[in-house]
Amino acid sequence: MSGFYKEDKLIPVVTLVIFFSPDEWNDPVSLHEMMNVKDERILSLVPDYQIHLIAPAGLSDEELRKFHSSLREVLGFIKYANDMEKMDGIVHGDFQKLRWEAAKEETQENTLQQNLRSLMETLNLSAEQAMAVLKVPKVKCSSLSAKL
């Protein structure tokens, strides 16, 4: 292969497809399923590419709990979009938790801004110098600079 050396290695990429609908997924999830070929000899010669599908309607509550990010709440919201009783439980349970987490992050952000302002005023530092003193990650520096 042109441009590749024997010691070069590729990094695998896994693509997930999320079906943003409360409906069941009833369509193909592989290339072979999309073909109108039943002869196994022919199919064995054609690569079969699988779709790594997340369809909320097909997930059990136990499977939903395996997600450890806000994606769990989003998928639950999609899954129960047509069930008002379950939706009420999500809104007053899981989404309430998300609001508390967001409020904690906002409080931390406000405290950091106050500390930066105090350093800037007390020690006559620039915003960049104050962020260096507090070891603010570079990713946050540009957004904080605009707020100071």
Side-chain angles (χ1 to χ4, degrees):
M1 291 177 33
S2 178
F4 278 93
Y5 297 99
K6 197 177 212 174
E7 60 275 1
D8 289 343
K9 301 295 178 210
L10 297 175
I11 299 171
V13 175
V14 177
T15 303
L16 296 175
V17 176
I18 301 175
F19 183 49
F20 281 91
S21 171
D23 300 328
E24 292 282 338
W25 179 269
N26 296 316
D27 294 318
V29 291
S30 74
L31 192 58
H32 281 191
E33 290 176 14
M34 296 173 77
M35 295 180 181
N36 194 18
V37 176
K38 302 298 177 213
D39 188 335
E40 287 298 323
R41 294 175 297 170
I42 295 172
L43 286 175
S44 70
L45 301 172
V46 179
D48 188 18
Y49 298 100
Q50 295 285 107
I51 296 173
H52 301 287
L53 177 72
I54 298 174
L59 296 174
S60 68
D61 288 340
E62 183 180 319
E63 289 170 322
L64 272 175
R65 284 191 292 275
K66 290 180 181 178
F67 292 92
H68 294 284
S69 68
S70 57
L71 182 60
R72 171 181 34 206
E73 287 79 16
V74 171
L75 294 175
F77 196 76
I78 294 167
K79 176 181 175 78
Y80 297 118
N82 296 329
D83 184 337
M84 287 301 131
E85 188 175 314
K86 291 267 191 175
M87 183 64 71
D88 188 54
I90 290 173
V91 169
H92 289 95
D94 294 339
F95 276 2
Q96 187 70 29
K97 181 180 144 205
L98 280 179
R99 282 190 285 251
W100 278 107
E101 289 171 3
K104 264 187 199 175
E105 288 174 18
E106 187 176 329
T107 301
Q108 289 174 346
E109 183 86 10
N110 290 339
T111 302
L112 178 58
Q113 287 177 25
Q114 288 172 352
N115 290 340
L116 288 168
R117 284 190 187 104
S118 294
L119 274 176
M120 291 165 64
E121 290 171 17
T122 307
L123 300 176
N124 200 26
L125 297 176
S126 69
E128 290 76 22
Q129 291 168 326
M131 286 187 262
V133 169
L134 292 179
K135 297 180 180 168
V136 176
K138 289 187 183 208
V139 176
K140 285 191 145 208
C141 287
S142 59
S143 66
L144 280 171
S145 290
K147 295 176 183 176
L148 294 174

